[in-house]
Amino acid sequence: MSETSLTRFLIEAQRAGQLNAELRLLIEVVARACKRISVAVGKGALGGVLGDAVGDSGGDSINVQGEAQKKLDVLSNDILIDANAWGGHLAACASEEMPHCQPIPDAYPRGHYLLVFDPLDGSSNIDVNVSVGTIFSVLRARDGVPAEDAHFLRSGNDQVAAGYCIYGPSTMLVLTVGHGTHAFTLDREQGSFVLTRRDMRIPEATQEFAINMSNQRHWEPAMQGYVDDLLAGREGPRGKDFNMRWIASMVADVHRILTRGGIFIYPWDRKDPDKPGKLRLMYEANPMAMLVEQAGGAATDGRRRILDIAPELLHQRVPVFLGSREEVDTATAYHLRHDAAGRESGR
Ligand code: P6P
């Protein structure tokens, strides 16, 4: 049977009423931009784009998050902005790398969608040749008015599409338009994405967890108790042994979980108590939560469903628990039980 290209998959999805022509164009434009990013990432040291970006003052370039920008962060952001400017499908873009949203230039027609993305997540891994990725989320714009930051502040339930592109041994685009989660592998000879996994399903249960254990002493008690019980293995209350993986590149860790199950956790920690978590809601947690739920998994902030959270800030951070549904439910139950005990004792 002939391969199904991303273009064919999207045309068939449009024919089935799952998306319209404008959203199909948007996804194809993002996929084309990801191919360009894949080329730049793949060149590594030969591309002259490794290392930290240089700011106007000649020092390190720092983004709105207060993080040092890599040259590839800036290049990937520019590639996505430029690719989406002229097609007439977007009203505005927003990005981890930009303080505020960027409306489509007046020279071009405005469309009905908002695109928000992390152009190169995990970029601190670039210089050590570890997989990184682009994460994106699509919302409907408010018609007839110029887009602004506030228009992006919609819960994850309002996403009309979400996806990521992982730049690993192979480049893969993983996508949902609300009808399952599907994976496409880049055929470099043809230069096109080919459907390689239709309807990905995350196993309900798992024996594998992903977390940065070096933060353990900074977690809240419920988180301490949950991980202690994982580490206690078959002799402990969970009655089974667990394995651990942590790539420190969300796209790579989530891709593994979509592929074989597991739970990914980046909880709140008291290292920076004013920050509710490290990961950002709009362009990391929400798109990943939609992909995971569409694959039969679950995603919470330890207490409530990620997709139900009403955003207040464009770069808002949130604790993230996502992956195999039974394990996410168990981890969330530890937190809810702890909260209930605190209420009973008046703490
Ligand atoms: P840590 C990468 O910087 C990132 O935003 C995610 O991709 C990743 O899951 C996490 O941070 C890693 O954080 O604290 O382990 O370096």
Side-chain angles (χ1 to χ4, degrees):
M1 179 177 169
S2 67
E3 293 174 337
T4 299
S5 67
L6 175 64
T7 300
R8 176 174 171 181
F9 178 89
L10 292 173
I11 285 170
E12 289 173 350
Q14 181 183 345
R15 201 172 286 148
Q18 296 174 4
L19 79 167
N20 62 29
E22 197 171 313
L23 182 54
R24 173 162 65 84
L25 172 62
L26 191 165
I27 293 168
E28 291 199 286
V29 166
V30 169
R32 206 157 41 240
C34 288
K35 283 191 278 188
R36 286 192 57 198
I37 296 170
S38 174
V39 169
V41 168
K43 285 180 178 172
L46 300 177
V49 287
L50 294 187
D52 292 342
V54 176
D56 298 337
S57 60
D60 282 351
S61 172
I62 306 298
N63 66 15
V64 64
Q65 322 290 339
E67 296 162 347
Q69 284 182 310
K70 296 291 186 184
K71 290 175 187 168
L72 273 172
D73 284 323
V74 176
L75 175 63
S76 302
N77 194 66
D78 292 348
I79 287 173
L80 282 157
I81 294 289
D82 296 347
N84 281 284
W86 44 268
H89 50 281
L90 279 190
C93 288
S95 162
E96 178 191 51
E97 302 302 334
M98 304 188 302
H100 299 288
C101 76
Q102 184 163 306
I104 294 301
D106 293 339
Y108 302 118
R110 285 211 175 87
H112 297 94
Y113 293 100
L114 301 173
L115 177 68
V116 55
F117 50 80
D118 182 351
L120 202 62
D121 179 74
S123 56
S124 56
N125 290 300
I126 282 277
D127 299 343
V128 294
N129 202 24
V130 166
S131 299
V132 292
T134 297
I135 310 172
F136 63 92
S137 168
V138 184
L139 297 159
R140 281 204 61 97
R142 283 189 205 167
D143 292 337
V145 291
E148 58 184 74
D149 286 1
H151 298 176
F152 285 79
L153 302 183
R154 314 270 292 282
S155 84
N157 292 316
D158 289 344
Q159 293 176 107
V160 294
Y164 62 79
C165 192
I166 179 169
Y167 312 112
S170 65
T171 289
M172 293 184 73
L173 177 74
V174 178
L175 171 72
T176 182
V177 294
H179 296 268
T181 295
H182 314 283
F184 302 81
T185 302
L186 180 61
D187 179 332
R188 295 190 188 281
E189 277 81 36
Q190 294 185 55
S192 62
F193 283 105
V194 177
L195 180 67
T196 45
R197 285 287 300 277
R198 187 187 290 270
D199 276 326
M200 299 177 87
R201 305 302 295 168
I202 301 178
E204 293 275 316
T206 185
Q207 290 181 244
E208 193 161 78
F209 68 99
I211 194 165
N212 181 343
M213 285 296 293
S214 71
N215 297 323
Q216 185 174 24
R217 66 188 184 283
H218 302 299
W219 298 332
E220 60 179 298
M223 190 60 212
Q224 301 268 5
Y226 168 67
V227 171
D228 288 348
D229 288 351
L230 294 181
L231 296 175
R234 68 181 65 173
E235 293 79 26
R238 300 299 307 273
K240 61 181 181 178
D241 291 339
F242 284 80
N243 189 25
M244 197 197 100
R245 288 282 182 275
W246 186 248
I247 305 174
S249 176
M250 186 185 197
V251 173
D253 280 312
V254 172
H255 189 73
R256 183 189 61 255
I257 286 164
L258 272 169
T259 305
R260 72 183 193 207
I263 182 170
F264 170 95
I265 306 173
Y266 211 108
W268 171 88
D269 64 50
R270 62 176 57 83
K271 281 195 302 187
D272 193 339
D274 295 337
K275 277 185 187 172
K278 174 173 187 182
L279 302 177
R280 276 59 54 128
L281 176 61
M282 297 305 296
Y283 40 80
E284 290 171 327
N286 271 344
M288 290 309 198
M290 183 178 183
L291 289 162
V292 163
E293 286 200 1
Q294 285 290 321
T300 74
D301 68 352
R303 289 162 170 93
R304 53 189 172 155
R305 188 167 164 264
I306 291 267
L307 296 182
D308 291 337
I309 296 174
E312 294 168 8
L313 297 169
L314 190 58
H315 300 289
Q316 176 171 333
R317 297 173 188 265
V318 67
V320 177
F321 297 68
L322 63 78
S324 293
R325 174 169 295 281
E326 286 178 15
E327 197 55 40
V328 173
D329 291 349
T330 298
T332 304
Y334 271 72
H335 289 74
L336 296 177
R337 274 199 303 273
H338 181 271
D339 294 351
R343 284 192 294 272
E344 282 164 21
S345 63
R347 277 184 290 118

Coordinates of all heavy atoms in Angstrom, one line a residue, residues 214-264:
S214 N 17.4 15.2 41.3 CA 18.3 16.1 42.1 C 17.5 17.2 42.9 O 18.0 17.8 43.8 CB 19.3 16.8 41.2 OG 18.6 17.8 40.4
N215 N 16.2 17.3 42.5 CA 15.4 18.3 43.2 C 14.6 17.7 44.4 O 13.8 18.4 45.0 CB 14.4 18.9 42.2 CG 15.1 19.7 41.1 OD1 16.1 20.4 41.3 ND2 14.6 19.6 39.9
Q216 N 14.9 16.4 44.7 CA 14.0 15.7 45.6 C 13.8 16.4 46.9 O 12.7 16.5 47.4 CB 14.6 14.3 45.9 CG 13.7 13.4 46.7 CD 14.3 12.0 46.8 OE1 15.5 11.8 46.6 NE2 13.5 11.0 47.1
R217 N 14.9 17.0 47.5 CA 14.8 17.6 48.8 C 13.9 18.9 48.8 O 13.5 19.4 49.8 CB 16.2 17.9 49.3 CG 16.9 19.0 48.6 CD 18.4 19.1 49.1 NE 19.1 20.2 48.5 CZ 19.7 20.2 47.2 NH1 19.4 19.1 46.5 NH2 20.3 21.2 46.8
H218 N 13.6 19.4 47.6 CA 12.9 20.6 47.5 C 11.4 20.4 47.2 O 10.6 21.3 47.1 CB 13.4 21.5 46.3 CG 14.9 21.8 46.4 ND1 15.4 22.6 47.5 CD2 15.9 21.5 45.7 CE1 16.7 22.7 47.3 NE2 17.1 22.1 46.2
W219 N 11.0 19.1 47.1 CA 9.6 18.8 46.7 C 8.7 19.0 47.9 O 9.1 18.9 49.1 CB 9.4 17.4 46.1 CG 10.2 17.2 44.9 CD1 10.5 18.1 43.9 CD2 10.7 15.9 44.4 NE1 11.2 17.5 42.9 CE2 11.3 16.2 43.2 CE3 10.6 14.6 44.9 CZ2 11.8 15.1 42.4 CZ3 11.2 13.6 44.2 CH2 11.8 13.9 43.0
E220 N 7.4 19.1 47.7 CA 6.4 19.1 48.8 C 6.2 17.7 49.3 O 6.6 16.7 48.6 CB 5.1 19.7 48.3 CG 4.4 18.9 47.1 CD 3.1 19.6 46.7 OE1 2.2 19.6 47.6 OE2 2.9 20.0 45.6
P221 N 5.7 17.5 50.5 CA 5.6 16.2 51.1 C 4.9 15.1 50.3 O 5.3 14.0 50.1 CB 4.8 16.4 52.4 CG 5.1 17.9 52.8 CD 5.2 18.6 51.4
A222 N 3.8 15.5 49.6 CA 3.0 14.5 48.8 C 3.9 14.0 47.7 O 3.9 12.8 47.4 CB 1.8 15.2 48.2
M223 N 4.8 14.8 47.1 CA 5.6 14.4 46.0 C 6.7 13.5 46.6 O 7.1 12.5 46.0 CB 6.2 15.7 45.4 CG 7.0 15.4 44.1 SD 5.9 14.7 42.8 CE 7.2 13.8 42.0
Q224 N 7.2 13.9 47.8 CA 8.3 13.1 48.4 C 7.7 11.7 48.7 O 8.3 10.7 48.4 CB 8.6 13.7 49.8 CG 9.2 15.1 49.7 CD 10.7 15.1 49.7 OE1 11.3 14.1 49.5 NE2 11.3 16.3 49.7
G225 N 6.5 11.6 49.2 CA 5.9 10.3 49.5 C 5.6 9.5 48.3 O 5.9 8.3 48.3
Y226 N 5.2 10.1 47.2 CA 4.9 9.4 46.0 C 6.2 8.7 45.4 O 6.2 7.5 45.1 CB 4.3 10.3 45.0 CG 4.2 9.7 43.6 CD1 3.4 8.6 43.3 CD2 5.0 10.2 42.6 CE1 3.3 8.0 42.0 CE2 4.9 9.6 41.3 CZ 4.1 8.5 41.0 OH 4.1 8.0 39.8
V227 N 7.3 9.5 45.4 CA 8.5 9.0 44.8 C 9.2 8.0 45.7 O 9.7 7.0 45.3 CB 9.5 10.2 44.4 CG1 10.8 9.6 44.0 CG2 8.9 11.0 43.3
D228 N 9.1 8.2 47.0 CA 9.6 7.2 48.0 C 9.0 5.9 47.7 O 9.7 4.8 47.7 CB 9.3 7.7 49.4 CG 10.2 8.9 49.9 OD1 11.1 9.2 49.2 OD2 9.8 9.5 50.9
D229 N 7.7 5.9 47.5 CA 7.0 4.6 47.2 C 7.4 4.0 45.9 O 7.4 2.7 45.8 CB 5.5 4.8 47.3 CG 5.0 5.1 48.8 OD1 5.9 4.9 49.7 OD2 3.8 5.4 49.0
L230 N 7.7 4.8 44.9 CA 8.2 4.3 43.6 C 9.5 3.6 43.9 O 9.8 2.5 43.4 CB 8.4 5.4 42.6 CG 7.2 6.1 42.1 CD1 7.6 7.2 41.1 CD2 6.2 5.2 41.5
L231 N 10.4 4.3 44.7 CA 11.8 3.8 44.9 C 11.7 2.5 45.8 O 12.7 1.7 45.7 CB 12.6 4.9 45.5 CG 12.9 6.1 44.6 CD1 13.6 7.2 45.3 CD2 13.6 5.7 43.3
A232 N 10.7 2.4 46.6 CA 10.6 1.2 47.5 C 10.4 -0.1 46.7 O 10.5 -1.2 47.2 CB 9.5 1.4 48.5
G233 N 9.9 0.1 45.5 CA 9.7 -1.1 44.6 C 8.8 -2.1 45.1 O 7.8 -1.8 45.8
R234 N 9.1 -3.4 44.8 CA 8.1 -4.5 45.1 C 8.0 -4.7 46.6 O 7.0 -5.2 47.0 CB 8.6 -5.8 44.4 CG 9.9 -6.4 44.9 CD 10.2 -7.6 44.2 NE 10.5 -7.3 42.8 CZ 11.0 -8.1 41.9 NH1 11.2 -9.4 42.2 NH2 11.3 -7.8 40.6
E235 N 9.0 -4.3 47.4 CA 8.9 -4.5 48.8 C 8.0 -3.4 49.4 O 7.6 -3.4 50.6 CB 10.3 -4.4 49.5 CG 11.2 -5.6 49.2 CD 11.9 -5.5 47.8 OE1 12.0 -4.3 47.4 OE2 12.2 -6.5 47.2
G236 N 7.8 -2.4 48.7 CA 7.0 -1.2 49.2 C 5.5 -1.3 48.9 O 5.0 -2.3 48.3
P237 N 4.8 -0.2 49.1 CA 3.3 -0.2 48.9 C 2.9 -0.3 47.5 O 1.8 -0.7 47.2 CB 2.9 1.2 49.5 CG 4.1 2.0 49.6 CD 5.3 1.1 49.7
R238 N 3.8 0.0 46.5 CA 3.4 -0.2 45.1 C 3.4 -1.6 44.7 O 2.9 -2.0 43.6 CB 4.2 0.7 44.2 CG 4.1 2.2 44.5 CD 2.6 2.7 44.4 NE 2.1 2.4 43.1 CZ 2.2 3.2 42.0 NH1 2.9 4.3 42.0 NH2 1.7 2.8 40.8
G239 N 4.3 -2.5 45.4 CA 4.3 -3.9 45.0 C 5.0 -4.2 43.7 O 4.8 -5.3 43.2
K240 N 5.7 -3.3 43.1 CA 6.4 -3.5 41.9 C 7.6 -2.6 41.8 O 7.6 -1.5 42.3 CB 5.5 -3.4 40.6 CG 4.9 -2.0 40.4 CD 4.0 -2.0 39.2 CE 3.4 -0.6 38.9 NZ 2.6 -0.6 37.7
D241 N 8.6 -3.1 41.0 CA 9.8 -2.3 40.8 C 9.6 -1.3 39.7 O 8.8 -1.5 38.8 CB 11.0 -3.2 40.5 CG 11.4 -4.0 41.7 OD1 11.1 -3.6 42.9 OD2 12.0 -5.1 41.5
F242 N 10.2 -0.1 39.8 CA 10.1 0.9 38.8 C 11.5 1.2 38.2 O 12.5 1.1 38.9 CB 9.6 2.2 39.4 CG 8.1 2.1 39.6 CD1 7.6 1.5 40.7 CD2 7.2 2.7 38.7 CE1 6.2 1.4 40.9 CE2 5.8 2.6 38.9 CZ 5.3 2.0 40.0
N243 N 11.6 1.6 37.0 CA 12.8 2.1 36.3 C 12.7 3.6 36.1 O 11.6 4.2 36.2 CB 12.9 1.4 34.9 CG 14.2 1.6 34.3 OD1 15.2 1.9 35.0 ND2 14.3 1.6 33.0
M244 N 13.8 4.3 36.0 CA 13.8 5.7 35.8 C 14.5 6.1 34.6 O 15.5 5.5 34.2 CB 14.4 6.4 37.0 CG 14.1 7.9 37.1 SD 15.2 8.8 38.2 CE 16.3 9.6 37.0
R245 N 14.0 7.1 33.9 CA 14.6 7.8 32.7 C 14.5 9.3 32.9 O 13.5 9.7 33.3 CB 13.9 7.3 31.4 CG 14.2 5.9 31.0 CD 15.6 5.7 30.4 NE 15.9 4.4 30.0 CZ 16.4 3.4 30.7 NH1 16.6 3.7 32.0 NH2 16.7 2.2 30.3
W246 N 15.5 10.1 32.5 CA 15.4 11.5 32.5 C 16.4 12.1 31.5 O 17.6 12.0 31.6 CB 15.7 12.1 33.9 CG 15.4 13.6 33.9 CD1 16.3 14.6 34.0 CD2 14.2 14.3 33.8 NE1 15.7 15.8 34.0 CE2 14.4 15.7 33.9 CE3 12.8 13.8 33.6 CZ2 13.3 16.6 33.8 CZ3 11.8 14.7 33.6 CH2 12.1 16.1 33.6
I247 N 15.8 12.5 30.3 CA 16.7 13.0 29.2 C 16.9 14.5 29.4 O 17.8 15.1 28.8 CB 16.0 12.7 27.9 CG1 15.7 11.2 27.8 CG2 16.9 13.1 26.7 CD1 15.0 10.8 26.5
A248 N 16.0 15.2 30.2 CA 16.0 16.6 30.4 C 15.8 17.4 29.1 O 16.2 18.5 28.9 CB 17.4 17.1 31.0
S249 N 15.0 16.7 28.3 CA 14.5 17.3 27.0 C 13.0 16.9 26.9 O 12.8 15.7 26.6 CB 15.2 16.9 25.8 OG 14.7 17.4 24.6
M250 N 12.1 17.8 27.3 CA 10.7 17.3 27.4 C 10.2 16.6 26.2 O 9.5 15.5 26.4 CB 9.8 18.5 27.7 CG 8.3 18.2 28.0 SD 7.3 19.6 28.2 CE 5.9 18.9 29.1
V251 N 10.5 17.1 25.0 CA 10.0 16.4 23.8 C 10.5 15.0 23.7 O 9.7 14.1 23.4 CB 10.5 17.2 22.5 CG1 10.1 16.5 21.3 CG2 9.8 18.6 22.5
A252 N 11.8 14.7 24.1 CA 12.3 13.4 24.0 C 11.7 12.5 25.1 O 11.3 11.3 24.8 CB 13.8 13.4 24.2
D253 N 11.5 13.0 26.3 CA 10.9 12.2 27.4 C 9.4 11.9 27.1 O 8.9 10.8 27.3 CB 11.0 13.0 28.7 CG 12.4 12.8 29.4 OD1 12.9 11.6 29.5 OD2 13.0 13.8 29.8
V254 N 8.7 12.9 26.6 CA 7.3 12.7 26.2 C 7.1 11.7 25.0 O 6.2 10.9 25.0 CB 6.6 14.0 26.0 CG1 5.1 13.8 25.4 CG2 6.5 14.9 27.2
H255 N 8.1 11.9 24.1 CA 8.0 10.9 22.9 C 8.1 9.5 23.4 O 7.4 8.6 22.9 CB 9.0 11.3 21.9 CG 8.9 10.6 20.6 ND1 7.8 10.9 19.7 CD2 9.5 9.5 20.1 CE1 7.9 10.0 18.7 NE2 8.9 9.2 18.9
R256 N 9.1 9.3 24.3 CA 9.3 7.9 24.8 C 8.0 7.4 25.5 O 7.5 6.3 25.3 CB 10.4 7.9 25.8 CG 10.7 6.5 26.4 CD 11.7 6.4 27.5 NE 11.2 7.2 28.7 CZ 11.7 8.4 29.0 NH1 12.6 9.0 28.3 NH2 11.1 9.0 30.0
I257 N 7.3 8.3 26.3 CA 6.1 7.9 27.0 C 5.0 7.7 26.0 O 4.2 6.7 26.2 CB 5.8 9.0 28.0 CG1 6.8 8.9 29.2 CG2 4.4 8.9 28.5 CD1 6.8 10.1 30.1
L258 N 4.9 8.5 25.0 CA 3.8 8.2 24.0 C 4.1 6.9 23.3 O 3.1 6.2 22.8 CB 3.8 9.3 22.9 CG 2.9 10.6 23.2 CD1 3.2 11.7 22.3 CD2 1.4 10.2 23.1
T259 N 5.4 6.5 23.2 CA 5.7 5.3 22.4 C 5.6 4.1 23.2 O 5.1 3.0 22.8 CB 7.2 5.5 21.9 OG1 7.3 6.7 21.1 CG2 7.5 4.3 21.0
R260 N 6.0 4.1 24.6 CA 6.0 2.9 25.3 C 5.4 3.0 26.7 O 5.5 2.1 27.6 CB 7.4 2.3 25.5 CG 8.4 3.0 26.4 CD 9.7 2.4 26.3 NE 10.6 2.8 27.4 CZ 12.0 2.9 27.2 NH1 12.5 2.4 26.1 NH2 12.7 3.3 28.2
G261 N 4.8 4.2 27.1 CA 4.3 4.4 28.4 C 5.2 5.0 29.3 O 6.4 5.2 29.0
G262 N 4.8 5.3 30.5 CA 5.6 6.0 31.6 C 4.9 7.2 32.1 O 3.8 7.5 31.7
I263 N 5.5 7.8 33.1 CA 5.0 9.0 33.7 C 6.1 10.0 33.7 O 7.2 9.7 34.2 CB 4.4 8.9 35.1 CG1 3.8 10.2 35.6 CG2 5.3 8.2 36.1 CD1 2.9 10.1 36.9
F264 N 5.8 11.3 33.2 CA 6.8 12.4 33.2 C 6.3 13.4 34.3 O 5.1 13.7 34.3 CB 6.7 13.0 31.8 CG 7.5 14.3 31.7 CD1 8.8 14.4 31.3 CD2 6.9 15.6 32.1 CE1 9.5 15.6 31.2 CE2 7.6 16.8 32.1 CZ 8.9 16.8 31.6

